Short mmCIF file of all heavy atoms in Angstrom, two decimals:
data_model
loop_
_atom_site.label_atom_id
_atom_site.label_comp_id
_atom_site.label_asym_id
_atom_site.label_seq_id
_atom_site.Cartn_x
_atom_site.Cartn_y
_atom_site.Cartn_z
N ALA L 9 -6.12 8.09 27.25
CA ALA L 9 -7.37 8.78 27.52
C ALA L 9 -7.48 10.07 26.66
O ALA L 9 -8.60 10.35 26.20
CB ALA L 9 -7.53 9.12 28.96
N LEU L 15 -10.57 11.57 19.66
CA LEU L 15 -11.16 10.73 18.60
C LEU L 15 -12.71 10.84 18.72
O LEU L 15 -13.42 11.04 17.69
CB LEU L 15 -10.75 9.28 18.71
CG LEU L 15 -9.30 9.00 18.23
CD1 LEU L 15 -8.86 7.62 18.59
CD2 LEU L 15 -9.21 9.20 16.68
N HIS L 34 3.31 32.09 30.70
CA HIS L 34 3.38 33.51 30.77
C HIS L 34 2.58 34.11 29.56
O HIS L 34 1.95 33.37 28.82
CB HIS L 34 4.87 33.98 30.68
CG HIS L 34 5.62 33.46 29.53
ND1 HIS L 34 5.35 33.73 28.21
CD2 HIS L 34 6.70 32.59 29.49
CE1 HIS L 34 6.15 33.08 27.38
NE2 HIS L 34 7.06 32.37 28.16
N PHE L 56 3.94 19.86 29.51
CA PHE L 56 4.78 18.70 29.56
C PHE L 56 6.25 19.14 29.41
O PHE L 56 6.59 19.67 28.41
CB PHE L 56 4.44 17.63 28.54
CG PHE L 56 5.29 16.40 28.60
CD1 PHE L 56 5.39 15.63 29.70
CD2 PHE L 56 6.05 16.01 27.42
CE1 PHE L 56 6.14 14.48 29.76
CE2 PHE L 56 6.84 14.84 27.49
CZ PHE L 56 6.84 14.08 28.63
N VAL L 87 -9.35 27.36 27.73
CA VAL L 87 -8.84 26.05 27.40
C VAL L 87 -9.90 25.05 27.74
O VAL L 87 -10.47 25.11 28.91
CB VAL L 87 -7.48 25.75 28.00
CG1 VAL L 87 -7.09 24.30 27.86
CG2 VAL L 87 -6.45 26.70 27.40
N ILE L 157 9.36 22.44 13.02
CA ILE L 157 8.07 21.84 13.17
C ILE L 157 7.32 22.03 11.80
O ILE L 157 6.61 21.08 11.37
CB ILE L 157 7.22 22.51 14.28
CG1 ILE L 157 7.92 22.25 15.63
CG2 ILE L 157 5.81 22.03 14.27
CD1 ILE L 157 8.12 20.83 16.06
N LEU L 164 6.44 14.93 6.87
CA LEU L 164 5.73 13.70 7.33
C LEU L 164 4.19 13.83 7.07
O LEU L 164 3.48 12.96 7.43
CB LEU L 164 5.98 13.47 8.83
CG LEU L 164 7.46 13.09 9.19
CD1 LEU L 164 7.53 12.72 10.69
CD2 LEU L 164 8.04 12.04 8.30
N MET L 239 28.15 35.37 25.34
CA MET L 239 27.44 35.07 24.10
C MET L 239 27.57 33.62 23.63
O MET L 239 28.67 33.06 23.70
CB MET L 239 28.12 35.96 22.99
CG MET L 239 27.11 36.33 21.90
SD MET L 239 27.75 37.59 20.97
CE MET L 239 29.17 36.78 20.26
N ASP L 240 26.48 32.94 23.28
CA ASP L 240 26.55 31.61 22.69
C ASP L 240 26.67 31.78 21.22
O ASP L 240 27.59 31.29 20.58
CB ASP L 240 25.24 30.87 23.12
CG ASP L 240 25.20 29.41 22.66
OD1 ASP L 240 26.05 29.11 21.77
OD2 ASP L 240 24.28 28.66 23.03
N ILE L 242 25.47 34.46 17.58
CA ILE L 242 24.61 35.49 16.82
C ILE L 242 24.66 35.00 15.45
O ILE L 242 25.78 34.83 14.90
CB ILE L 242 25.20 36.94 16.85
CG1 ILE L 242 25.32 37.45 18.27
CG2 ILE L 242 24.33 37.89 16.06
CD1 ILE L 242 25.84 38.84 18.35
N ALA L 252 23.54 30.08 6.51
CA ALA L 252 24.24 31.29 6.83
C ALA L 252 24.30 32.20 5.61
O ALA L 252 24.47 31.74 4.47
CB ALA L 252 25.65 30.99 7.37
N LEU L 264 19.88 35.03 18.17
CA LEU L 264 21.01 34.99 19.09
C LEU L 264 20.65 34.23 20.42
O LEU L 264 19.41 34.16 20.74
CB LEU L 264 21.55 36.40 19.39
CG LEU L 264 20.79 37.35 20.26
CD1 LEU L 264 21.70 38.53 20.58
CD2 LEU L 264 19.53 37.86 19.62
N ALA L 265 21.63 33.70 21.01
CA ALA L 265 21.50 33.13 22.33
C ALA L 265 22.63 33.63 23.24
O ALA L 265 23.75 33.75 22.77
CB ALA L 265 21.62 31.58 22.21
N VAL L 278 13.13 38.75 12.19
CA VAL L 278 13.30 38.58 10.73
C VAL L 278 13.38 39.97 10.11
O VAL L 278 12.54 40.82 10.36
CB VAL L 278 12.11 37.80 10.11
CG1 VAL L 278 12.30 37.70 8.60
CG2 VAL L 278 12.06 36.38 10.71
#
Side-chain angles (χ1 to χ4, degrees):
Chain L
L15 284 169
H34 52 64
F56 181 57
V87 170
I157 297 300
L164 298 186
M239 211 167 64
D240 180 352
I242 301 180
L264 74 168
V278 177

